[in-house]
Amino acid sequence: MPQNVATTALPRVSPWQSTLVGGVFAVDAVGHCLAMASLCFGGALAVGLGLATAVFIFGTAFSTVILYYFGGFRLSLAVSQDTSISVLAPAVVLVATGVSGPIEAQVATAFAAIGASAVATGVVFWTVGRLGLGGLVRMFPYPVLAGFLASSGYLLVNAGLYMVTDQTSLGARALAAADPNVQLRLLPALVIAVAMLIATRIWVGAKPVLIIIFLALVSYYLLAAILGVDQLRAVELGLLPKVGDSGSGTLSLAMLGLIDWAAVLHLAPTIAAVVLLNLIGVLLNTSGVELATGQDVDENRELRVIGVANLFVGGLGGITCFLQGGATVVSSKLGGQSGAMITGYVAVTLAFCLFAPMIVAIVPVFVPAALVMFIGLSMLLDWLIGTWRRLILIDWLIVASIVLATAFLGVLPAIAVGLFLSLVGFAIASIRLPVIRHATSVAMRRSIRDRIAPQSEVLMREGDRVRILFLQGPLFFGSVEQVVSRLREMTSTPRGLSAVVLDFSAVHSFDSSACAALEKLAHLMRASGIAPHVTGISPGLNAVFKRWGLLLADADELFASHLFRHWPSLDSAIEHCETALLAEQHQDAQEIDIAKIILELGNNNPRTADLIGRMQRYELVPGDRLIVASERTHDVFFLVSGQLGVHLPTASGHKIRVRAMGPGTIVGEIAYLTGQPRNADVVCEEATVVLCLTEVDISDIEANDRDLAALMLAILGRSLAAKLAQSNGILTNLQAG
């Protein structure tokens, strides 16, 4: 039994009804095969029409059986495909009729050319499936798939109209509609198709379609008997098909000796185009049926299965066969037991192989035409009209555009139009997406470096002059203009900017147009006296920036007019900008009057001088460790000048720099206050001077001078509270960014 991937329940229909439904769809498939055979074997090649029809019909039945037993859909109706017939048929006729020798050689060459296209298609199908490339169809946007299904409906309606008017153009059909003989076929076909459409919208299942077809056949023969229209007269009026001697013959090895293989080889470019068209057709058909029936199949498996089937069909001289999207979708909606439906479909198609002239002769042409138009109208209602409420306007317009393009240009150009419009829609939607995820300033987003109170006041007051923009998503020719516009607004502020930091950590793609826009942006900022900085650049973006020449090679060299200064982390960029702001306000002293700071923390207590007098002075060079993690020392340090870094050990053994401390900060008070071991390393990052209140001195103060001990605890407590407030601010801003 075949693999049933989806579990969507269908209406319960009896086996005999399901068999009849399959038989009804088989009639359409047979007519389809007959039409294609007529295209390939017209004129002088008509002697092979009967054999070609039988081969095409057999290929339909064989492929259906293969898909049912080895494919993934619970119901798969295959058919000899017309996806590329408009390309293949004219080339086959031209090459085959140019073959010298008896007519049998021309017919054999035509079969060989058609079979070669099917064999080549089968090889490509199997190879694409084997390489796992079938899933590429999932890259097609939903509106394109919906448009393909709606266009399939239009083509089916168009085919039904052709069956009853024998005209291909709209103008010719309008003129033909005035002919009473054409009206005898056209009007019943339209009435029956509309009746089926209305009935299936009211009653669920296949019964309405079967009843209407039965009534149409009975009504025709009753009226023919009443009006005295016999079969010959009906053929003259075009009500019944003209079935004459269209040639006979059987497949035999003797035909191989008559094939002009040079002529077949001459069709190689055409066959290559046919293979490409068939590959697109099978992928879109498969994805369309998945979408319409709510099933999920392995496209690669489907390609391998139908590829093998086409190798056999092509070996017989048949045309490419694969899933018939329209009939499969509609038959699934009608309901029924898949096994019985496949049985009816295959049995009728095989019967037509043997008794095609007899059966075709008694079925009025407007009945299969009405069925074809009913299927097409159903698909148009579902995928063109029905999507109006579900889709946003731009997506629905893509669906409608594909249908219109199909009417005037053909299916493949229509798919190209749909893909182009989808890309345009995607570009427009992407441009509208915000690329600035968050914007803040140094007044709100501070670095991890501890600053003394006067410096913090300056940064709070002047921090809006340094703006930080957190970018996100893809930056390309349209979306990057949001950044340019925002920075233009910032440069026009009365206070004026001193620096801008662009964080690219959430940007995953970048194009040349965005690079050009950023170069223009750098010029704009430099002309306004604004220092441009970037951070969070991935290795891929870093390579793009360097190729474009947007980054400084050395962080210490002067800015060029079109370059950004690149920082390894956002915090390092913010710290640099903070220092620059403090320098402008003359608050960047290399050495702080530590006595004054301690006096302020002690609320100007006169005993502060006694506390400072107990401290020892130490000088450090870069790399010296002032404090070592896990040590049980309780010395407290007061930073006079230089810079210290706090490095927190991790489980992996690496250490993370979590804080930087400049002049005026107090270090090591937590271990003293809690009595716990040190929890981090404190490392000298530049030439540093500290005052140290040793653990021995602290113990002596606590034991012998309670007033001084109270003052010391008050100073350390206020310092710790200030650090806690700053840490909370950093965490809050990190979360916001």
Side-chain angles (χ1 to χ4, degrees):
M1 292 299 292
Q3 297 178 350
N4 295 330
V5 178
T7 58
T8 304
L10 293 174
R12 295 299 301 170
V13 179
S14 64
W16 72 269
Q17 289 175 328
S18 301
T19 303
L20 286 178
V21 171
V24 169
F25 283 106
V27 173
D28 170 58
V30 168
H32 194 74
C33 294
L34 205 56
M36 286 193 299
S38 300
L39 286 174
C40 296
F41 290 86
L45 298 177
V47 295
L49 180 58
L51 180 59
T53 303
V55 171
F56 290 3
I57 293 174
F58 177 79
T60 294
F62 177 79
S63 299
T64 299
V65 172
I66 295 298
L67 281 176
Y68 176 67
Y69 278 100
F70 301 103
F73 289 109
R74 60 170 168 264
L75 176 61
S76 301
L77 299 181
V79 72
S80 295
Q81 288 291 329
D82 62 356
T83 303
S84 57
I85 195 67
S86 60
V87 176
L88 181 62
V92 168
V93 173
L94 180 63
V95 169
T97 53
V99 173
S100 60
I103 189 62
E104 289 80 3
Q106 297 180 4
V107 172
T109 301
F111 272 111
I114 295 171
S117 70
V119 169
T121 298
V123 171
V124 171
F125 281 4
W126 187 89
T127 303
V128 172
R130 183 67 180 81
L131 295 176
L133 301 177
L136 291 176
V137 73
R138 297 190 186 275
M139 297 176 63
F140 280 86
Y142 180 90
V144 175
L145 294 177
F148 176 77
L149 290 168
S151 296
S152 299
Y154 163 79
L155 292 174
L156 288 172
V157 172
N158 197 49
L161 292 173
Y162 172 76
M163 292 172 68
V164 292
T165 63
D166 293 326
Q167 301 295 331
T168 56
S169 67
L170 183 61
R173 285 174 184 164
L175 293 175
D179 186 345
N181 289 338
V182 174
Q183 292 175 0
L184 290 175
R185 304 187 298 270
L186 178 60
L187 293 179
L190 292 175
V191 171
I192 295 171
V194 173
M196 290 178 180
L197 193 64
I198 295 174
T200 53
R201 259 43 183 186
I202 299 174
W203 295 285
V204 178
K207 290 182 180 179
V209 175
L210 297 175
I211 292 173
I212 291 173
I213 291 176
F214 176 76
L215 291 176
L217 292 172
V218 171
S219 299
Y220 166 76
Y221 279 103
L222 284 176
L223 287 174
I226 293 172
L227 297 175
V229 178
D230 58 14
Q231 186 171 0
L232 291 177
R233 179 57 179 161
V235 172
E236 293 176 1
L237 294 174
L239 294 173
L240 292 176
K242 183 178 181 180
V243 181
D245 184 11
S246 59
S248 59
T250 58
L251 292 172
S252 65
L253 293 177
M255 294 183 66
L256 294 175
L258 301 175
I259 297 173
D260 186 340
W261 292 107
V264 175
L265 184 62
H266 185 72
L267 286 176
T270 300
I271 291 175
V274 166
V275 170
L276 177 61
L277 293 174
N278 286 333
L279 180 61
I280 295 174
V282 72
L283 289 175
L284 288 176
N285 264 351
T286 301
S287 186
V289 172
E290 278 187 310
L291 182 65
T293 61
Q295 300 181 74
D296 183 25
V297 300
D298 182 353
E299 293 94 342
N300 296 309
R301 177 186 175 86
E302 295 295 303
L303 284 171
R304 294 196 300 271
V305 169
I306 198 61
V308 172
N310 275 284
L311 290 176
F312 179 78
V313 170
L316 296 178
I319 201 166
T320 303
C321 297
F322 52 80
L323 188 67
Q324 186 180 15
T328 300
V329 170
V330 175
S331 60
S332 297
K333 292 177 63 177
L334 292 177
Q337 299 182 22
S338 57
M341 193 174 293
I342 294 296
T343 299
Y345 187 82
V346 173
V348 172
T349 51
L350 290 178
F352 266 93
C353 287
L354 301 175
F355 307 107
M358 183 185 304
I359 298 175
V360 170
I362 63 174
V363 178
V365 294
F366 55 77
V367 172
L371 181 61
V372 171
M373 285 191 285
F374 156 66
I375 296 173
L377 289 172
S378 297
M379 298 186 72
L380 281 171
L381 281 177
D382 289 341
W383 298 103
L384 180 61
I385 307 302
T387 54
W388 167 257
R389 294 183 179 179
R390 297 201 308 269
L391 300 180
I392 61 176
L393 179 59
I394 188 171
D395 285 346
W396 185 85
L397 289 176
I398 292 174
V399 176
S401 298
I402 293 175
V403 176
L404 288 175
T406 300
F408 293 101
L409 303 176
V411 176
L412 283 180
I415 297 300
V417 168
L419 288 173
F420 173 75
L421 293 177
S422 296
L423 290 175
V424 171
F426 173 76
I428 293 174
S430 298
I431 290 173
R432 292 177 177 175
L433 290 174
V435 298
I436 301 176
R437 176 167 54 92
H438 177 61
T440 186
S441 68
V442 165
M444 298 296 296
R445 178 67 180 264
R446 296 281 299 280
S447 72
I448 61 174
R449 175 163 178 163
D450 287 336
R451 304 283 184 179
I452 59 176
Q455 292 177 335
S456 295
E457 292 174 1
V458 170
L459 294 177
M460 184 63 68
R461 184 178 68 249
E462 301 291 330
D464 284 340
R465 296 179 57 208
V466 177
R467 297 296 179 91
I468 307 166
L469 300 183
F470 296 87
L471 309 183
Q472 65 180 356
L475 291 183
F476 57 99
F477 62 92
S479 61
V480 75
E481 284 301 320
Q482 294 182 33
V483 182
V484 177
S485 299
R486 175 67 70 89
L487 289 174
R488 282 198 181 112
E489 295 174 2
M490 292 179 179
T491 56
S492 63
T493 57
R495 291 175 59 84
L497 297 182
S498 64
V500 170
V501 180
L502 301 179
D503 182 82
F504 285 82
S505 56
V507 174
H508 52 74
S509 61
F510 213 83
D511 69 358
S512 297
S513 297
C515 287
L518 281 181
E519 183 174 359
K520 179 177 68 175
L521 188 60
H523 282 296
L524 174 67
M525 287 191 286
R526 291 300 301 145
S528 302
I530 303 170
H533 304 270
V534 293
T535 185
I537 297 179
S538 66
L541 289 182
N542 187 54
V544 173
F545 275 38
K546 285 185 176 179
R547 284 199 305 270
W548 197 267
L550 289 174
L551 298 181
L552 288 168
D554 185 349
D556 293 328
E557 66 180 282
L558 295 177
F559 288 119
S561 63
H562 65 288
L563 297 181
F564 289 84
R565 189 165 185 177
H566 181 212
W567 296 93
S569 67
L570 176 62
D571 187 77
S572 60
I574 295 175
E575 182 178 334
H576 171 83
C577 294
E578 288 176 347
T579 302
L581 277 179
L582 293 173
E584 289 181 9
Q585 301 299 317
H586 308 290
Q587 289 289 338
D588 62 332
Q590 296 299 313
E591 185 167 328
I592 297 296
D593 187 350
I594 196 67
K596 182 179 178 181
I597 293 176
I598 297 174
L599 185 64
E600 291 175 353
L601 289 173
N603 287 331
N604 297 316
N605 192 304
R607 295 293 310 276
T608 303
D610 296 335
L611 185 64
I612 296 175
R614 303 291 294 266
M615 299 179 184
Q616 300 179 27
R617 180 184 176 92
Y618 294 108
E619 295 184 0
L620 306 174
V621 296
D624 287 347
R625 287 200 294 179
L626 184 66
I627 294 175
V628 179
S630 301
E631 285 188 348
R632 289 187 170 274
T633 59
H634 295 149
D635 296 343
V636 177
F637 303 92
F638 299 80
L639 185 55
V640 177
S641 65
Q643 179 170 302
L644 299 173
V646 180
H647 298 262
L648 190 68
T650 63
S652 62
H654 298 288
K655 295 183 179 181
I656 303 174
R657 184 175 183 264
V658 296
R659 185 180 296 275
M661 294 174 288
T665 57
I666 300 177
V667 186
E669 73 276 24
I670 295 178
Y672 161 67
L673 293 172
T674 62
Q676 299 295 320
R678 306 290 192 181
N679 58 10
D681 289 344
V682 178
V683 181
C684 176
E685 297 182 343
E686 59 184 56
T688 300
V689 175
V690 297
L691 297 180
C692 175
L693 194 59
T694 66
E695 184 176 0
V696 174
D697 288 329
I698 292 174
S699 299
D700 182 64
I701 292 172
E702 290 176 336
N704 302 312
D705 195 337
R706 293 183 178 273
D707 291 338
L708 192 58
L711 174 61
M712 179 184 63
L713 290 175
I715 291 172
L716 298 182
R718 292 189 183 101
S719 173
L720 188 59
K723 288 183 179 180
L724 179 61
Q726 183 176 356
S727 297
N728 288 338
I730 292 173
L731 292 175
T732 301
N733 289 321
L734 283 173
Q735 186 176 13

